[in-house]
Amino acid sequence: MIHQTSRPAYQALKRKIVDGELPFGAPITVKALESELGFSAIPIREALIALAAEDLIDFYPGRGFFNKRLDAESIALRLEFLQNLLLASAATLPHGRKNLVRKRLLDDGIRLREPANSVFESVKLITDIVDTYFPHPTAIFTRTAIAQCARYLVIDGEKHGPEGEIGKAAFSYLWLASSRQPVPLTERLQMFFEVRKQRMADTIQAVKERDLLAGHPMVFSGATF
């Protein structure tokens, strides 16, 4: 489904999911998206299939597509997977490309600090860099894992502080990885993810209360995030 990544319907729907415009556990129908996004049924259905293949949404035969629901165990597994992929990306970064990565990070970091940036734009900046400078297939897995974890890390940041934002966290880590000096990459990255795992129950409870007050009593367990 990689061919879908450059298509407008795919990008528009992925933006809605990553930016948190869909309640957790909510059904996603082609008919509703046609009017919301302004695309016909065929490209929307293709985008839904692609996003389900990337595990950003759920597909149940006979029932349709659904936004992911919150589940602590699955979130923990996703965070651990992303942590390992970032470590692998750093380990496979060719020494000769480190200066290029740093220049790219400096240029895009200015955009990342702009308050108007959406979660989706932060994710896109990071995944563009990963796609450009890190070996295949590490880049493909890493960009998907970043998108999968983005919503939870933003929720964590809203509850506990902005250091949980995926864009800033990944930029900080890639900056360390592109350094020519030895740095304690493993320890710093592990600490970042361990803190988020430890306060997961508190974060999920806050989301439940927020969505109930907003009139979205979605299901928060029984499926992955």
Side-chain angles (χ1 to χ4, degrees):
M1 297 298 173
I2 298 172
H3 69 282
Q4 284 289 327
T5 58
S6 62
R7 298 196 175 182
Y10 169 92
Q11 292 293 337
L13 181 52
K14 188 172 183 178
R15 180 186 291 271
K16 285 181 69 69
I17 294 167
V18 174
D19 280 348
E21 295 181 20
L22 299 174
F24 293 110
I28 306 173
T29 65
V30 174
K31 185 175 181 180
L33 291 173
E34 282 185 89
S35 58
E36 289 179 28
L37 302 180
F39 297 102
S40 63
I42 293 176
I44 289 176
R45 189 173 292 109
E46 289 177 345
L48 286 169
I49 293 171
L51 291 166
E54 294 177 20
D55 203 26
L56 288 177
I57 59 175
D58 284 322
F59 172 68
Y60 301 106
R63 294 177 57 199
F65 296 94
F66 293 81
N67 195 23
K68 290 288 184 182
R69 292 180 279 179
L70 285 174
D71 174 72
E73 182 179 357
S74 297
I75 295 170
L77 289 173
R78 285 169 177 267
L79 291 175
E80 184 175 354
F81 185 51
L82 177 56
Q83 176 184 337
N84 291 333
L85 281 171
L86 286 173
L87 286 169
S89 296
T92 56
L93 177 60
H95 190 74
R97 290 193 175 186
K98 289 188 174 183
N99 283 340
L100 294 174
V101 172
R102 287 216 144 194
K103 185 178 184 304
R104 178 82 181 262
L105 289 169
L106 282 172
D107 293 341
D108 288 337
I110 297 172
R111 294 164 57 195
L112 183 68
R113 287 191 293 271
E114 295 174 0
N117 271 358
S118 65
V119 182
F120 177 80
E121 291 301 327
S122 296
V123 169
K124 192 173 185 303
L125 285 175
I126 295 295
T127 54
D128 284 350
I129 292 172
V130 170
D131 279 349
T132 302
Y133 295 107
F134 291 86
H136 180 88
T138 305
I140 294 175
F141 287 119
T142 305
R143 74 181 181 194
T144 300
I146 287 172
Q148 290 171 343
C149 294
R151 279 306 303 156
Y152 177 74
L153 290 175
V154 169
I155 291 167
D156 175 271
E158 291 171 350
K159 173 67 178 175
H160 300 284
E163 76 280 0
E165 293 177 14
I166 183 61
K168 293 179 181 177
F171 261 78
S172 176
Y173 178 71
L174 292 176
W175 181 261
L176 289 173
S178 63
S179 171
R180 292 183 177 274
Q181 303 298 322
V183 289
L185 291 172
T186 305
E187 292 83 353
R188 294 188 64 164
L189 191 68
Q190 183 176 355
M191 183 180 298
F192 174 86
F193 283 103
E194 283 303 317
V195 168
R196 271 104 208 126
K197 293 175 188 176
Q198 289 169 8
R199 60 197 191 194
M200 194 174 297
D202 186 38
T203 299
I204 291 177
Q205 182 60 34
V207 177
K208 289 183 182 182
E209 294 172 359
R210 181 196 67 189
D211 283 8
L212 284 171
L213 289 173
H216 301 300
M218 293 294 116
V219 179
F220 287 85
S221 61
T224 56
F225 169 67

